[in-house]
């Protein structure tokens, strides 16, 4: 685990007071905004990252979630001012690798933002096993609108399970429990 933490580009190393290797764009108390550390899907993307190394975003506490949501709101406004839509996603499908949890923000043209839910639904349905133990799609946006609000994501998925989640709105989107990590896209 120490080897993973030492080589993590998103970790702040308090013992040596070394900032993350990824450039910090904005720093809150427990979460920061950075540029993507992996190749961007779309120009102008961003990454929301908890300061403390977490295996996935479900491990974050209430304060961290409040800051994550604040960054999401800020990015939504920024992309809207640029005439773009945005989807946020977390790919926590490989928990054994102990990667730093991060939420990726992907700006899209409005025309693609409108069709994004259908695209992700189709992609998720075809990406994993035909027969699974869990529901293929977990509609956290519908649950948010049914009364769970901002807690829909955290009350629908379990932090112990490998998962993928995409947010189309600030309160929810679609989730999927990944049962076969070898078949899941990296």
């Amino acid at each position: 685990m120490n080897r993973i933490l030492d080589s993590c580009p998103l970790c702040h190393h308090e013992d040596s007071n070394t900032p993350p290797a990824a450039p910090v764009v904005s720093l809150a108390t427990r979460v920061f905004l950075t540029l993507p550390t992996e190749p961007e899907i779309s120009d102008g993307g961003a990454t929301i990252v908890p300061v403390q190394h977490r295996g996935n975003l479900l491990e974050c506490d209430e304060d961290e979630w409040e800051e994550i949501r604040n960054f999401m709101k800020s990015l939504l406004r920024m992309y809207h001012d640029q005439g773009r839509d945005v989807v946020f996603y977390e790919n926590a499908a490989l928990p054994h690798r102990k990667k730093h949890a991060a939420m990726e923000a992907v700006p899209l043209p409005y025309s693609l933002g409108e069709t994004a839910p259908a695209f992700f639904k189709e992609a998720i349905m075809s990406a994993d096993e035909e027969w699974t133990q869990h529901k293929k799609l977990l509609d956290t946006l519908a649950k948010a609108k049914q009364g769970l609000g901002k807690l829909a994501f955290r009350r629908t998925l379990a932090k112990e399970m490998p998962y993928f989640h995409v947010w189309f709105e600030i309160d929810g989107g679609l989730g999927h429990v990944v049962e076969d990590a070898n078949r899941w896209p990296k």
Side-chain angles (χ1 to χ4, degrees):
M1 183 67 178
N2 284 338
R3 184 177 53 82
I4 292 169
L5 292 175
D6 289 340
S7 64
C8 179
L10 299 173
C11 276
H12 176 82
H13 303 286
E14 292 179 7
D15 53 337
S16 62
N17 202 22
T18 308
V24 176
V25 175
S26 181
L27 178 63
T29 308
R30 305 184 71 189
V31 175
F32 66 95
L33 182 69
T34 184
L35 301 175
T37 56
E38 297 179 5
E40 287 183 90
I41 295 173
S42 173
D43 284 342
T47 306
I48 303 169
V49 184
V51 171
Q52 186 174 348
H53 191 98
R54 305 270 191 205
N56 61 49
L57 294 177
L58 290 171
E59 293 178 4
C60 293
D61 64 25
E62 192 64 38
D63 293 334
E64 288 168 311
W65 266 104
E66 194 62 36
E67 291 182 8
I68 289 170
R69 287 177 55 82
N70 287 339
F71 276 124
M72 289 174 77
K73 291 174 195 172
S74 297
L75 289 170
L76 278 164
R77 280 192 297 270
M78 181 188 81
Y79 292 128
H80 176 73
D81 290 346
Q82 295 175 357
R84 299 193 284 178
D85 205 346
V86 62
V87 295
F88 300 93
Y89 75 89
E90 179 191 17
N91 190 1
L94 301 168
H96 61 279
R97 292 183 60 201
K98 306 279 190 234
K99 289 181 70 175
H100 201 120
M103 178 185 289
E104 303 291 335
V106 181
L108 304 167
Y110 279 124
S111 60
L112 291 178
E114 292 170 1
T115 60
F119 170 78
F120 276 98
K121 183 176 183 176
E122 180 63 31
I124 289 170
M125 295 296 280
S126 64
D128 213 350
E129 297 290 328
E130 185 174 339
W131 304 102
T132 61
Q133 293 181 358
H134 303 89
K135 286 177 66 175
K136 277 218 176 225
L137 280 176
L138 303 168
D139 193 341
T140 59
L141 184 56
K143 290 184 179 192
K145 291 178 179 177
Q146 292 168 355
L148 282 178
K150 66 182 183 180
L151 298 175
F153 166 68
R154 292 182 280 165
R155 297 256 171 96
T156 304
L157 291 157
K159 67 182 177 185
E160 295 82 12
M161 299 295 293
Y163 67 88
F164 173 83
H165 190 272
V166 59
W167 287 260
F168 305 115
E169 294 181 14
I170 195 159
D171 288 334
L174 293 174
H176 174 71
V177 174
V178 177
E179 294 190 16
D180 185 357
N182 294 326
R183 290 195 56 181
W184 190 253
K186 308 291 181 270

